[in-house]
Amino acid sequence: MRLVILGAGGYGRTVADVAEQLGYSEIVVLDDSIENMSLSSYVDYIDDNTCFIPAFGNNRFRFKWISDIKVAGGKLATLIHLSSYVSPKATVCEGVVILPKAVINTDVTIKDGCIINIGAMVDHGTVIEEGCHICCGAIVKGENVIPACTKVEAGAVIEARSIG
């Protein structure tokens, strides 16, 4: 399976690293800063053996690309680093990247296009809506709903039932 990563910045490099560790043998990076590899050329890669990950830190921009890829008929990858823990009772949707040492507990739902960064913890019964970024070491305590495209900063602890 070929993986096409949209974005060559720091997060794009991180996604490529995780993808290599997961065994992707062919990784293509598209970015407008790379000659002859513009973001808009992603449609040229859509086929049955290719999946995509938009790797942009800007939540709304990343989620826009998630939507564009789906509308164009592309498949989204979901990358879960081998050192993370994801409960078998959790739901992880498309276009999600879960980085090393993250914890996704029982009955958690991670919706499309989210980043669960290094060492982040999402406890039981929480819903992370589309396009969110739970930053390094952030903790989202149980039974929360994190609104779409929210960024929970590094080290933050979300205790309230809902933010937004």
Side-chain angles (χ1 to χ4, degrees), residues 59-60 63 114 128-133 145-151 163:
N59 291 345
R60 293 196 186 285
F63 192 66
C114 290
I128 308 294
E129 296 288 353
E130 295 87 354
C132 289
H133 181 177
V145 176
I146 305 301
C149 295
T150 296
K151 182 176 186 180
I163 66 170

Side-chain angles (χ1 to χ4, degrees), residues 89-130:
K89 294 182 179 182
T91 301
V92 178
C93 296
E94 298 178 312
V96 170
V97 177
I98 300 175
L99 292 170
K101 306 294 184 187
V103 175
I104 309 300
N105 216 341
T106 304
D107 298 325
V108 167
T109 299
I110 309 290
K111 294 191 179 178
D112 291 352
C114 290
I115 302 167
I116 309 299
N117 218 316
I118 298 166
M121 293 184 226
V122 182
D123 205 4
H124 63 83
T126 292
V127 176
I128 308 294
E129 296 288 353
E130 295 87 354

Side-chain angles (χ1 to χ4, degrees), residues 27-98:
I27 299 171
V28 175
V29 178
L30 302 179
D31 192 284
D32 291 342
S33 69
I34 303 171
E35 189 172 339
N36 299 318
M37 299 299 281
S38 72
L39 291 171
S40 62
S41 69
Y42 82 97
V43 294
D44 300 334
Y45 292 89
I46 295 174
D47 63 34
D48 290 339
N49 295 313
T50 302
C51 52
F52 298 84
I53 285 282
F56 305 107
N58 181 302
N59 291 345
R60 293 196 186 285
F61 190 65
R62 184 177 65 259
F63 192 66
K64 175 207 170 295
W65 277 101
I66 293 279
S67 299
D68 290 352
I69 290 164
K70 283 182 169 185
V71 167
K75 294 185 288 189
L76 292 163
T78 295
L79 305 179
I80 301 172
H81 192 273
L82 297 173
S83 72
S84 64
Y85 169 75
V86 178
S87 168
K89 294 182 179 182
T91 301
V92 178
C93 296
E94 298 178 312
V96 170
V97 177
I98 300 175

